[in-house]
Amino acid sequence: MTWVEAIGWFGAALAITGSAMKTIIPLRCIGIGANICSLIVSAFLGNIPGVVANLILLPINSVRLYQMLGLIKRVKEASKSDLSMEWLKPFMTRRKTKAGEVLFAKGDVATCMFYTISGRYRLKEMGIELVQGHVVGEMGFLSPNNTRTQTLECIEAGEVLSISYDEVRQLYFQNPQFGFYFLRLASERLFNNMEKMEDEIVRLRTALPEVATVRKAASA
């Protein structure tokens, strides 16, 4: 077996292996190796169509591999970054709010999320007050029926930014950084709600003995 035949067989093995790959990065790496082997063999044998084809495929696979590695790097950076909304603001629409206005009510169909710029707002059911710089309404995007889980009312006039769920979906699939941002945002809200619920359970358990004592004193 000559060295050209050895390279040809190695390239064939790489091509077969690449067809079995399930993830894109190993597939691109193996594709680059197969392109190089095929290019060498085609050049040695004078196969011009093979040379041209591999000269085209080699940079394509290399560029796609570079893009995918860059994408993974950005995803890792996004997973460690802070939950800043500055880069999302250009995609949002500004609107004014009035005191007493209900931005959405519990059970309503959820179509957008908000970012508070100024004014004061309250999640009615939980009694939580929101000031400027808070994201609210994202849980409706994740709920099975896309319905609101809380009522948001304005208690002091101000301004909010809003973005529709359709735009959120587009950003989610087009930008992995936004996907990780939204995942972290929703997870943070869920954990905060769990902590509040646990605190309330502890408070109620602490209050139970006091209630029992009052009842005994009242029945004595």
Side-chain angles (χ1 to χ4, degrees):
M1 180 184 296
T2 64
W3 65 271
V4 176
E5 290 176 331
I7 292 175
W9 280 109
F10 182 65
L14 289 176
I16 294 171
T17 304
S19 64
M21 291 291 101
K22 295 182 179 180
T23 52
I24 192 66
I25 290 181
L27 176 61
R28 293 293 183 187
C29 292
I30 290 176
I32 290 172
N35 290 150
I36 294 173
C37 292
S38 182
L39 180 61
I40 293 172
V41 173
S42 296
F44 185 82
L45 297 178
N47 182 6
I48 304 302
V51 172
V52 173
N54 283 284
L55 283 175
I56 294 172
L57 290 173
L58 183 58
I60 290 175
N61 278 323
S62 300
V63 169
R64 294 303 185 194
L65 176 61
Y66 175 80
Q67 290 174 338
M68 186 56 62
L69 292 174
L71 183 64
I72 291 175
K73 181 180 178 180
R74 291 195 299 272
V75 166
K76 289 181 178 179
E77 290 174 352
S79 66
K80 298 176 181 178
S81 63
D82 61 358
L83 297 180
S84 173
M85 287 288 290
E86 291 300 322
W87 66 275
L88 188 59
K89 287 181 180 180
F91 300 96
M92 306 182 83
T93 303
R94 184 183 295 262
R95 57 169 287 193
K96 293 183 178 181
T97 57
K98 299 179 181 179
E101 178 183 353
V102 175
L103 278 74
F104 56 77
K106 184 177 181 179
D108 286 352
V109 176
T111 59
C112 62
M113 56 187 267
F114 299 93
Y115 178 77
T116 59
I117 300 177
S118 61
R120 291 164 56 214
Y121 307 85
R122 180 172 58 206
L123 292 171
K124 191 173 181 180
E125 286 76 13
M126 299 185 68
I128 298 175
E129 185 173 320
L130 305 176
V131 292
Q132 64 181 17
H134 277 75
V135 178
V136 63
E138 79 285 354
M139 298 306 294
F141 179 75
L142 300 174
S143 66
N145 299 318
N146 282 134
T147 55
R148 298 295 187 189
T149 59
Q150 297 283 324
T151 298
L152 179 67
E153 60 181 354
C154 176
I155 56 179
E156 182 182 296
E159 287 186 323
V160 297
L161 295 174
S162 65
I163 182 170
S164 69
Y165 287 162
D166 288 336
E167 292 176 293
V168 170
R169 291 185 185 95
Q170 292 177 22
L171 288 171
Y172 188 91
F173 288 108
Q174 294 174 5
N175 192 329
Q177 289 174 295
F178 177 76
F180 268 82
Y181 171 87
F182 195 84
L183 179 63
R184 290 183 61 203
L185 180 67
S187 300
E188 185 180 73
R189 185 62 56 86
L190 287 172
F191 281 119
N192 287 339
N193 290 343
M194 287 175 60
E195 288 179 4
K196 288 183 175 67
M197 185 176 64
E198 290 172 355
D199 291 341
E200 184 64 16
I201 291 173
V202 171
R203 187 188 67 80
L204 291 173
R205 285 179 176 175
T206 304
L208 282 176
E210 297 178 2
V211 172
T213 303
V214 171
R215 286 180 177 176
K216 287 179 180 180
S219 60

